[in-house]
């Protein structure tokens, strides 16, 4: 089966005054139709930048995609011109951002903003677009949707705004929806609502979703596949069960260990990862995680481990010592 | 293969960013910009030529007069007709324009520094206090002081109308009392009634000596003053009063207000400085206030409070250093503005008194001779004004970029 | 387990209303009842977790307890002394014993001051130590929170978020406080750094015998660090009990929903978990519903909940709750 999305050797750099920030380094993976992919990592690990690179939304200068291919349905997005990209954005790939407060324009009504996307990409009359906008708002569970089309964003609560953003994202039935930390700014109970909504929508509409987050808990409830990113590279990727139950990479092990769990015995000390993520301006030669890794050997400092597939096709890890570490960290 | 025991594992020391002070960073950014360097060059040239000429190149404007050299074009060599070198030519009284332009720089520099100093000190203090107490609760001492000042300011209006300085004292006292009795008679209504009656008495009784209509006006003013003081016993009130006064000053066109003040005080460079300074106060007050407001809600202010630091310490240690950047930029730009304003006053004959070399006045003296071909008498003072203003503005722009906190993570 | 423990802080009927309108002369509009009649105790050397969603008033509780806000009503007893009756001077003295760690390590450190003067600030205010003693103390504190003591002359922008938070902790500890309010100290940090900071806080508690009020919205972290947990909703404490009691035997429908909404980093558990998804949003605190303030979202509300406000009471041993439906 042909993949919906295939990213090959994607590499993004930011040319700053102080040097070159290696934001995304040689990232390759695939996504299938109808798949929910969780991209997990800490701030500055390149998870958002790599998504923006796919959309060619990197500010240039200082940012530049220096290498790679992004195949979406048989089309390499990185070779497209700005005009052609504008047709892809919104129609084929839609994006939802973290802060629902700033991603909606405060001077236009919510209905108008949804209609705008519809009018731009589809041959629709204003009336049709308005009806469709109402349907979309209803789809994302806003009560009294038709009456709220003429509301301004400030009349919506944070959760409702994020729903409206999702409605905008869905308006042209994209093949891929990229959600960049969509629930980080929301409260837990509202986050639960949104996760529930996204699951339902995905069942109904069947689009692929890329869910970018720092929260390993959220993707555990949602995703089919997980990419764990660290310092601009994918360090571990695989089906969700492989990642959580058969963790191989020491970073993923540490990340899972540093989360307190509701079934922990009292007094358990959290496993913390010592030190800090490396400075992307001066990435070390070898494995980017080596400086913080307890399993480090000399080879790790000298040579960057490639992402190797293990257990057939559903799990890959970038670590020289995964075979020895295997099993030690999973709980 | 060696296995590192997690217990023995020592993390390489935390990677901390390079050690640099914020001001050092800003300086490096400033000197890396070409326009800023140009601005700095012009400004340094201006300041040093003005200062050096003032101290080391004697010039007595009152004795400088030579009708034989009236309106001569610039010359760089000595001729029979013109026995001395005048690189910028001479003016209608035969004075060397180069000499006057260089010496005029001292006057412009003085105006700039004094006028901006006045605006900065008054405006800065007003902005700092109003911004700070807008959100932070005052202590009793601070309340008494600030309400005393409010009372003084409010009272001076009616005192001025009735020409009775006694009222000024009375209202100041009223403010002090209002500040002290925060919970006075618990009920707000009682307090309002009490203070308004007191206000009327303080205001109207002395005004009766001046006449019954004055007493009426002063009585109303006194009533309002009393209500204001009694109603809003917080910093927001103080801030409101101050900023509304600033708004009033700001609602006059700047030059007109300066001209009005000079007309009131009489001409002269010194009075011009005061006029330009006063006009600039609200600009600095607003700027400082908005800068303070953006800092005062930061958590480190809360942290300082939770540690028990006093308000004075918070203002000096935490707020002032963090609002300096916009003020430095504004001050630099303000110097340019003050030089321009002084020139405008001089041109209108309201600034420096004639023989005194001053660029605006020189322009005003000479523009009539432009038709007779004496372009040099206008060009060089004009160029001096333009260059010095441009220099300060370029430097200000450079400083703005260098100090912009948005560039920092 | 702590029946014989001494109460360090007692909060009684604490209320904090913020004026509803910006007008300085006349207060029109409703007051925002950020904290509305909250009572609880904190025992010596325990950690009380305070959880709730945005706008529930948890941060206001913390700040009012340290008297950064003047309470509208109620009392705060610290070591038996009512802070509200104290004058400015005595209050400043009491501040030595109670300190705060702030949420945003980027905003809570003055960018123009060196680390040394930030941490030394409380010493300047409360002690008359000479430079050398102060310097030594600052270095000792830096070491205590796991930073290189040579960093005293550095500026905050040279540090990462986690390190800055450590600096904030060192400042809070400078005066050997007894009680520390931790106001979401980890929510703006990365996951792997969160664990470092939480472990540090726990170590310091053991070493120095500190008492914490740990404010957070992350239930799993609160469960990890707290002995007892209080759940707040719209300015009121709805449930307060021992950590395990809250997690295994929660009674209030809001607590139950909150708990089920926490994402679990385990796909198997996530599939099995029974989820209560609350409908709607948190009401505006300036205009709270009549009766129980949770009635707009409560899945089991009955008529009584829309009429009468439930009383906050002790139902079982040390289990406090405000709900009509709990016997």
């Amino acid at each position: 089966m042909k993949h919906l999305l295939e990213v090959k050797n994607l590499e993004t750099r930011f040319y700053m005054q102080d040097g070159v920030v290696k934001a995304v380094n040689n990232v390759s993976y695939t996504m299938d139709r109808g798949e929910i992919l969780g991209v997990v990592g800490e701030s500055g690990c390149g998870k958002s930048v790599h998504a923006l690179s796919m959309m060619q939304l990197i500010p240039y200068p200082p940012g530049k995609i220096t290498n790679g291919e992004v195949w979406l349905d048989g089309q390499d997005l990185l070779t497209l011109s700005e005009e052609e990209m504008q047709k892809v954005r919104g129609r084929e790939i839609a994006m939802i951002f973290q802060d629902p407060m700033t991603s909606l324009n405060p001077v236009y009504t919510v209905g108008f903003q949804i209609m705008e996307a519809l009018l731009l990409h589809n041959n629709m009359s204003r009336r049709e677009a308005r009806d469709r906008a109402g349907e979309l708002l209803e789809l994302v569970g806003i009560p009294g949707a038709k009456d709220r089309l003429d509301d301004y964003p400030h009349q919506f609560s944070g959760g409702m705004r994020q729903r409206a953003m999702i409605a905008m994202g869905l308006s042209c039935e994209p093949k891929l929806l990229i959600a960049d930390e969509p629930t980080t700014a929301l409260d837990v109970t509202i986050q639960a609502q949104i996760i529930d909504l996204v699951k339902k929508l995905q069942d109904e509409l069947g689009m692929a979703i890329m869910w970018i987050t720092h929260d390993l808990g959220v993707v555990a409830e949602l995703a089919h596949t997980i990419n764990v990113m660290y310092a601009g590279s994918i360090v571990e990727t695989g089906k969700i069960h492989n990642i959580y139950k058969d963790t191989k990479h020491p970073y993923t092990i540490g990340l899972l260990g540093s989360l307190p769990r509701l079934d922990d015995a009292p007094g358990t000390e959290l496993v913390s990862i010592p030190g800090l993520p490396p400075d992307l301006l001066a990435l070390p030669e070898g494995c980017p995680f080596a400086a913080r890794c307890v399993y480090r050997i000399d080879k790790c400092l000298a040579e960057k481990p490639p992402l190797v597939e293990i257990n057939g096709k559903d799990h890959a890890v970038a670590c020289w010592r995964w075979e020895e570490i295997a099993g030690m960290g999973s709980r | 293969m060696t296995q590192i025991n997690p217990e023995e594992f020592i993390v390489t020391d935390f990677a901390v960013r390079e050690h640099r002070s914020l001001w050092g960073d800003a300086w490096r950014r400033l000197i890396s910009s070409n326009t800023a360097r140009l601005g700095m060059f012009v400004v340094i040239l201006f300041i040093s030529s003005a200062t050096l000429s003032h101290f080391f190149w004697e010039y007595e404007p009152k004795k400088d007069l030579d009708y034989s050299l009236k309106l001569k074009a610039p010359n760089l060599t000595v001729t029979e007709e013109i026995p001395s070198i005048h690189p910028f030519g001479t003016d209608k009284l035969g004075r060397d324009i180069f000499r006057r332009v260089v010496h005029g720089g001292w006057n412009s520099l003085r105006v700039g520094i004094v006028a901006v100093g006045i605006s900065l000190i008054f405006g800065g203090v007003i902005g700092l206090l109003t911004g700070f107490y807008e959100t932070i609760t005052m202590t009793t001492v601070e309340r008494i002081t600030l309400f005393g000042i409010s009372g003084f300011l409010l009272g001076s209006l009616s005192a001025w109308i009735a020409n009775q300085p006694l009222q000024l004292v009375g209202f100041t006292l009223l403010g002090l009392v209002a500040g002290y009795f925060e919970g006075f008679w618990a009920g707000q209504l009682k307090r309002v009634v009490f203070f308004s009656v007191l206000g009327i008495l303080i205001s109207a009784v002395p005004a009766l000596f001046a006449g019954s209509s004055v007493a009426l006006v002063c009585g109303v003013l006194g009533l309002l003053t009393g209500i204001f003081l009694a109603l809003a016993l917080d910093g927001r009130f103080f801030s409101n009063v101050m900023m509304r006064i600033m708004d009033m000053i700001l609602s006059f066109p700047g030059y007109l207000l300066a001209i009005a003040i000079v007309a009131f005080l009489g001409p002269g460079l010194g009075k011009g400085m005061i006029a330009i300074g006063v006009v600039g106060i609200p600009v600095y007050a607003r700027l400082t206030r908005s800068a303070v407001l953006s800092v005062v809600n930061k958590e480190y202010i809360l942290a300082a409070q939770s540690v028990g630091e006093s308000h004075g310490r918070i203002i000096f240690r935490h707020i002032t250093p963090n609002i300096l950047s916009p003020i430095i930029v504004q001050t630099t730009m303000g110097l340019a503005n003050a030089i321009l304003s002084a020139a405008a006053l001089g041109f209108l004959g309201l600034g420096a008194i004639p023989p005194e070399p001053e660029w605006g006045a020189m322009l005003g003296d000479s523009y009539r001779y432009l038709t007779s071909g004496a372009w040099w008498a206008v060009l060089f003072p004009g160029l001096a004004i333009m260059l010095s203003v441009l220099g300060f503005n370029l430097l200000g722009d450079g400083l703005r970029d260098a100090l912009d906190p948005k560039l920092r993570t | 387990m702590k029946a014989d423990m001494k109460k360090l802080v007692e909060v009684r009927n604490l209320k904090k209303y913020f004026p509803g309108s910006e007008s300085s002369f006349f207060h029109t509009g409703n007051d925002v009842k950020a904290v509305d009649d909250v009572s609880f105790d904190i025992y010596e050397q325990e950690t009380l977790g305070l959880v709730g969603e945005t706008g529930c008033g948890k941060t206001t509780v913390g700040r009012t307890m340290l008297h950064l806000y003047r309470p509208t009503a109620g009392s705060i007893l610290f070591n038996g002394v009512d802070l509200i009756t104290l004058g400015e001077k005595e209050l400043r003295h009491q501040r030595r014993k109670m300190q705060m760690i702030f949420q945003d390590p980027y905003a809570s450190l003055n960018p123009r001051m060196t680390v040394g003067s930030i941490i030394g600030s409380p010493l300047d205010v409360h002690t008359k130590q000479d430079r050398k003693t102060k310097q030594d103390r600052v270095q000792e504190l830096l070491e205590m929170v796991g930073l290189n003591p040579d960093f005293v002359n550095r500026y905050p922008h040279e540090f990462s978020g986690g390190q800055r938070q450590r600096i904030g902790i060192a400042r809070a500890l400078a005066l050997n406080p007894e009680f520390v309010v931790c106001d979401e100290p980890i929510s703006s940090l990365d996951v792997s750094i969160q664990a470092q900071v939480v472990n540090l806080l726990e170590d310091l508690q053991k070493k120095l015998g500190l008492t914490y009020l740990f404010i957070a919205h992350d239930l799993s972290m609160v469960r990890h660090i707290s002995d007892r947990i209080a759940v707040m909703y719209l300015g009121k404490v709805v449930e307060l009990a021992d950590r395990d009691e809250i997690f295994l035997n929660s009674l209030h429908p809001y607590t139950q929903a909150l708990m089920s909404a926490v994402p679990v980093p385990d796909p198997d558990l996530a599939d099995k978990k029974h989820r209560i998804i609350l409908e709607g949003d948190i009401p505006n605190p300036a205009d709270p519903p009549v009766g129980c303030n949770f009635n707009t979202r409560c899945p089991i509300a009955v008529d009584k909940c829309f009429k009468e406000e439930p009383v906050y009471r002790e139902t079982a041993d040390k289990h406090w709750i405000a709900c009509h439906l709990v016997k």
Side-chain angles (χ1 to χ4, degrees):
Chain A
M1 184 181 148
K2 194 133 173 44
H3 299 295
L4 170 69
L5 177 78
E6 192 168 1
V7 178
K8 279 188 195 161
N9 309 329
L10 185 65
E11 204 175 73
T12 305
R13 301 274 180 269
F14 287 89
Y15 295 90
M16 311 297 278
Q17 234 174 7
D18 304 338
V20 183
V21 175
K22 294 177 179 165
V24 179
N25 302 309
N26 205 8
V27 165
S28 307
Y29 61 93
T30 59
M31 253 180 105
D32 291 325
R33 269 160 245 276
E35 179 180 332
I36 303 184
L37 170 75
V39 179
V40 185
E42 298 176 277
S43 53
C45 73
K47 55 189 193 298
S48 297
V49 175
H50 109 274
L52 290 172
S53 304
M54 282 168 38
M55 302 277 276
Q56 288 198 39
L57 287 173
I58 295 290
Y60 171 76
K64 199 172 178 214
I65 301 161
T66 45
N67 192 15
E69 295 160 34
V70 177
W71 293 91
L72 180 80
D73 239 0
Q75 199 177 21
D76 185 359
L77 298 184
L78 296 186
T79 59
L80 298 183
S81 67
E82 178 61 23
E83 287 81 10
E84 290 164 317
M85 257 332 272
Q86 283 178 357
K87 287 187 189 129
V88 172
R89 290 183 206 132
R91 187 146 53 176
E92 316 229 338
I93 309 180
M95 210 160 172
I96 305 169
F97 296 95
Q98 171 174 354
D99 191 354
M101 302 290 171
T102 54
S103 43
L104 284 168
N105 189 334
V107 301
Y108 296 116
T109 61
V110 173
F112 179 83
Q113 294 184 53
I114 301 176
M115 279 164 64
E116 205 178 33
L118 287 166
L119 291 170
L120 201 65
H121 291 292
N122 303 339
N123 256 331
M124 263 189 186
S125 69
R126 290 193 73 81
R127 165 148 304 183
E128 282 169 334
R130 196 181 157 82
D131 289 346
R132 179 84 185 114
E135 283 168 31
L136 282 165
L137 276 189
E138 209 169 306
L139 186 70
V140 295
I142 287 180
K146 291 238 156 58
D147 303 325
R148 305 216 59 167
L149 281 175
D150 294 320
D151 279 2
Y152 285 90
H154 70 93
Q155 288 162 296
F156 276 38
S157 69
M160 271 159 61
R161 268 181 252 202
Q162 202 54 290
R163 283 167 192 263
M165 281 303 295
I166 293 174
M168 273 171 79
L170 296 178
S171 59
C172 296
E173 288 160 18
K175 294 169 188 155
L176 173 63
L177 182 69
I178 300 177
D180 189 357
E181 305 246 10
T183 58
T184 308
L186 304 176
D187 279 315
V188 210
T189 57
I190 310 293
Q191 169 173 288
Q193 291 174 357
I194 298 284
I195 293 174
D196 196 50
L197 170 73
V198 168
K199 270 179 162 169
K200 261 186 218 147
L201 288 174
Q202 211 265 342
D203 277 351
E204 273 172 46
L205 308 172
M207 74 284 195
I209 297 176
M210 183 188 294
W211 192 279
I212 299 171
T213 181
H214 67 275
D215 190 334
L216 277 163
V218 172
V219 279
E221 314 215 330
L222 199 67
H224 306 132
T225 321
I226 304 244
N227 284 349
V228 181
M229 287 187 73
Y230 185 79
S233 309
I234 295 180
V235 293
E236 188 164 7
T237 171
K239 286 270 175 274
I240 182 161
H241 275 266
N242 293 335
I243 296 286
Y244 285 90
K245 294 293 167 184
D246 189 18
T247 323
K248 291 285 191 286
H249 197 279
Y251 175 63
T252 322
I253 296 172
L255 217 50
L256 283 168
S258 63
L259 290 173
R261 306 216 344 206
L262 295 179
D263 50 359
D264 271 344
T268 352
E269 177 132 331
L270 294 176
V271 187
S272 68
I273 307 175
L276 296 173
D279 190 352
L280 293 174
L281 273 170
L283 270 187
E285 191 86 336
C287 172
F289 187 63
R292 302 170 74 187
C293 182
V294 283
Y295 305 105
R296 176 180 69 202
I297 51 173
D298 290 346
K299 191 178 183 186
C300 301
L301 294 170
E303 213 177 322
K304 189 177 168 175
L307 198 62
V308 288
E309 287 197 349
I310 51 175
N311 304 345
K313 278 204 127 185
D314 289 339
H315 198 176
V317 63
C319 179
W320 292 119
R321 301 186 64 197
W322 66 269
E323 278 162 302
E324 298 157 66
I325 299 163
M328 286 172 64
S330 56
R331 306 202 263 179
Chain B
M1 188 142 313
T2 49
Q3 168 80 52
I4 303 174
N5 183 353
E7 307 281 302
E8 293 164 16
F9 183 77
I10 300 159
V11 199
T12 40
D13 200 6
F14 284 167
V16 179
R17 258 159 260 171
E18 201 187 327
H19 180 44
R20 283 175 183 174
S21 85
L22 290 176
W23 296 119
D25 256 6
W27 172 250
R28 227 159 291 142
R29 268 198 297 273
L30 182 69
I31 54 170
S32 70
S33 142
N34 278 329
T35 49
R37 274 205 302 254
L38 180 64
M40 221 171 349
F41 172 73
V42 175
V43 166
I44 290 171
L45 187 74
F46 164 63
I47 292 177
S48 52
S49 74
T51 330
L52 291 176
S53 68
H54 178 73
F55 287 109
F56 301 110
W57 191 16
E58 243 175 88
Y59 177 58
E60 278 184 59
K62 278 180 185 144
K63 288 182 188 158
D64 187 14
L65 193 75
D66 188 350
Y67 285 111
S68 64
L69 290 174
K70 190 179 164 195
L71 288 173
K72 294 284 182 248
N75 65 320
L76 295 170
T77 47
V78 182
T79 57
E80 258 174 54
E81 197 196 349
I82 311 162
S84 49
I85 299 170
H86 301 289
F88 287 2
T90 61
D91 69 0
K92 61 175 182 181
L93 298 176
R95 295 177 290 197
D96 179 27
I97 291 180
F98 177 70
R99 194 167 176 149
R100 283 177 65 80
V101 164
V102 170
H103 277 92
W106 175 253
N107 280 330
S108 293
L109 187 66
R110 257 185 355 175
V111 172
I113 289 172
V114 174
V116 169
I118 292 173
S119 322
L120 184 64
I121 290 169
F122 285 95
V125 169
I126 290 172
L128 200 60
L129 292 179
T130 54
F132 187 73
Y133 290 115
E134 177 102 20
T135 42
I136 289 190
T137 325
M138 292 188 274
T139 65
T140 318
V141 180
E142 288 160 355
R143 220 173 31 235
I144 291 173
T145 329
L146 290 179
F147 275 86
I149 295 172
S150 306
F152 173 81
L153 287 172
L154 288 170
S156 47
L157 194 62
S158 68
W160 184 49
I161 291 175
N163 210 359
Q164 298 281 345
L166 218 102
Q167 286 171 329
L168 221 107
V169 180
F171 276 113
T172 311
L173 285 175
L174 190 69
L176 295 178
V177 174
Y180 182 70
F181 290 113
E182 193 201 4
F184 188 53
W185 281 351
Q188 209 178 34
L189 191 67
K190 280 180 190 169
R191 201 171 60 212
V192 171
V193 171
F194 176 77
F195 278 103
S196 11
V197 170
L198 212 63
I200 295 175
L201 287 178
I202 293 176
S203 188
V205 171
L208 267 178
F209 296 107
S212 56
S213 56
V214 178
L216 195 70
V217 173
C218 292
V220 173
L221 281 174
L223 175 78
L224 293 176
T225 314
I227 290 177
F228 277 149
L229 286 177
L231 249 186
L233 289 168
D234 57 9
R236 206 168 274 182
F237 165 73
F238 174 72
S239 164
N240 254 333
V241 171
M242 285 299 190
M243 291 327 285
R244 292 305 79 78
I245 294 174
M246 294 297 111
D247 288 349
M248 277 185 243
I249 299 179
L250 214 55
S251 65
F252 289 101
Y255 280 116
L256 273 187
L257 184 61
I259 290 168
I261 295 173
V262 172
F264 183 69
L265 296 172
L269 203 57
K271 304 195 174 130
M273 293 176 195
I274 296 176
I276 297 167
V278 170
V279 171
I281 290 177
V283 176
Y284 288 83
R286 283 192 160 188
L287 179 82
T288 316
R289 180 165 179 269
S290 66
V292 172
L293 284 177
S294 71
V295 170
V296 85
N297 287 324
K298 290 266 165 68
E299 273 184 341
Y300 56 79
I301 303 297
L302 207 61
Q305 283 177 280
S306 77
V307 155
E309 293 189 33
S310 65
H311 289 169
R313 198 180 143 96
I314 292 176
I315 287 178
F316 285 113
R317 302 245 313 179
H318 297 282
I319 291 183
T320 315
N322 282 296
I323 58 168
L324 276 183
S325 316
I327 292 175
I328 289 173
V329 174
Q330 176 63 38
T331 308
T332 317
M333 303 282 207
L335 281 166
N337 214 359
I339 291 171
L340 212 54
S341 303
L345 285 181
F347 184 81
L348 296 171
L350 291 167
I353 299 166
E356 191 73 12
E358 202 276 334
W359 294 339
M362 285 164 76
L363 275 182
D365 273 355
S366 317
Y367 75 96
R368 262 166 274 142
Y369 303 95
L370 201 58
T371 43
S372 46
W375 50 269
W376 57 89
V378 182
L379 178 71
F380 292 108
L383 262 182
I385 296 173
M386 197 201 90
L387 275 180
S388 57
V389 168
L390 184 73
F392 278 112
N393 276 330
L394 286 180
L395 181 63
D397 272 340
L399 281 169
R400 174 171 300 156
D401 293 342
L403 296 167
D404 192 347
K406 266 175 270 168
L407 293 171
R408 198 163 298 127
T409 46
Chain C
M1 79 198 222
K2 52 190 88 56
D4 53 336
M5 278 179 97
K6 201 181 139 232
K7 286 176 186 171
L8 183 71
V9 186
E10 294 165 65
V11 176
R12 290 284 169 271
N13 305 96
L14 186 70
K15 291 180 185 173
K16 174 67 195 170
Y17 298 170
F18 291 103
S21 90
E22 283 294 295
S23 161
S24 58
F25 294 139
F26 302 100
H27 297 318
T28 48
N30 292 337
D31 284 353
V32 177
K33 297 180 175 178
V35 178
D36 196 11
D37 205 355
V38 162
S39 304
F40 57 85
D41 299 326
I42 304 177
Y43 295 92
E44 252 175 15
Q45 299 193 20
E46 79 161 348
T47 302
L48 177 69
L50 189 59
V51 286
E53 295 177 277
T54 317
C56 73
K58 54 190 192 300
T59 296
T60 313
V61 167
R63 292 185 180 175
T64 315
M65 282 174 75
L66 292 196
H67 235 271
L68 291 171
Y69 297 150
R70 190 168 274 274
T72 309
S75 57
I76 302 154
L77 272 66
F78 184 73
N79 269 334
V81 183
D82 190 350
L83 294 179
I84 288 160
T85 60
L86 295 181
E88 275 152 24
K89 252 212 183 105
E90 294 128 312
L91 188 67
R92 190 163 292 169
H93 188 71
Q94 278 293 335
R95 286 237 159 99
R96 300 183 62 149
K97 306 276 171 55
M98 38 209 309
Q99 291 295 326
M100 190 157 187
I101 298 166
F102 293 87
Q103 172 174 5
D104 183 356
Y106 289 86
S108 64
L109 305 177
N110 186 342
R112 301 279 177 200
M113 278 164 77
T114 60
V115 170
S117 51
I118 289 171
I119 302 176
S121 226
L123 301 171
D124 289 343
V125 176
H126 291 283
T127 60
K128 290 198 173 61
Q129 294 173 348
D130 58 80
R131 272 185 77 86
K132 183 79 184 66
T133 343
K134 211 175 84 185
Q135 178 94 355
D136 289 348
R137 173 70 179 144
V138 168
Q139 296 199 332
E140 183 193 329
L141 284 161
L142 277 175
E143 216 157 344
M144 205 193 294
V145 297
L147 289 175
N148 187 338
D150 298 336
F151 289 165
V152 274
N153 290 322
R154 305 269 188 144
Y155 287 90
H157 67 106
E158 294 165 39
F159 295 88
S160 71
Q163 291 172 312
R164 287 180 202 219
Q165 200 55 290
R166 287 167 191 266
I167 298 168
I169 294 172
R171 168 175 61 192
L173 296 179
L175 293 164
N176 289 320
E178 293 170 31
F179 175 55
V180 180
V181 174
C182 311
D183 186 5
E184 308 220 21
I186 50 164
S187 41
S188 55
L189 303 177
D190 270 325
V191 186
S192 71
I193 311 295
Q194 283 187 355
Q196 292 177 3
V197 172
V198 164
N199 284 343
L200 173 69
L201 286 171
E202 285 183 320
D203 285 349
L204 290 169
Q205 180 169 39
K206 267 178 231 148
K207 231 183 274 173
L208 307 170
L210 298 169
T211 306
Y212 288 146
L213 175 69
F214 193 90
I215 302 170
H217 62 259
D218 180 350
L219 270 174
S220 43
M221 207 48 110
V222 167
R223 177 185 182 269
H224 177 84
I225 197 170
S226 308
D227 299 309
R228 292 185 309 139
I229 293 173
V231 181
M232 275 188 85
Y233 186 77
L234 218 60
K236 288 178 192 291
V237 173
V238 294
E239 189 164 6
L240 189 158
D242 258 23
R243 178 231 330 248
D244 295 326
E245 181 82 2
I246 281 268
F247 275 83
L248 302 173
N249 192 17
S250 62
L251 298 172
H252 198 284
Y254 177 64
T255 317
Q256 290 166 354
L258 198 60
M259 223 105 63
S260 82
V262 179
V264 195
D266 185 329
D268 294 343
L269 284 179
D271 287 347
K272 269 186 270 167
K273 202 165 76 173
H274 169 64
R275 236 164 216 301
I276 309 166
I277 292 181
L278 291 177
E279 279 177 20
D281 292 301
I282 305 165
N284 182 355
D287 185 22
V290 182
C292 172
N293 58 14
F294 185 55
N295 62 23
T296 53
R297 300 174 79 193
C298 184
I300 55 168
V302 294
D303 276 356
K304 197 181 179 190
C305 305
F306 292 92
K307 289 172 192 146
E308 238 177 88
E309 212 183 301
V311 184
Y312 179 63
R313 64 198 195 279
E314 196 168 7
T315 51
D317 183 38
K318 299 222 180 282
H319 194 140
W320 293 75
I321 189 163
C323 180
H324 288 306
L325 297 165
V326 177
K327 288 286 162 297

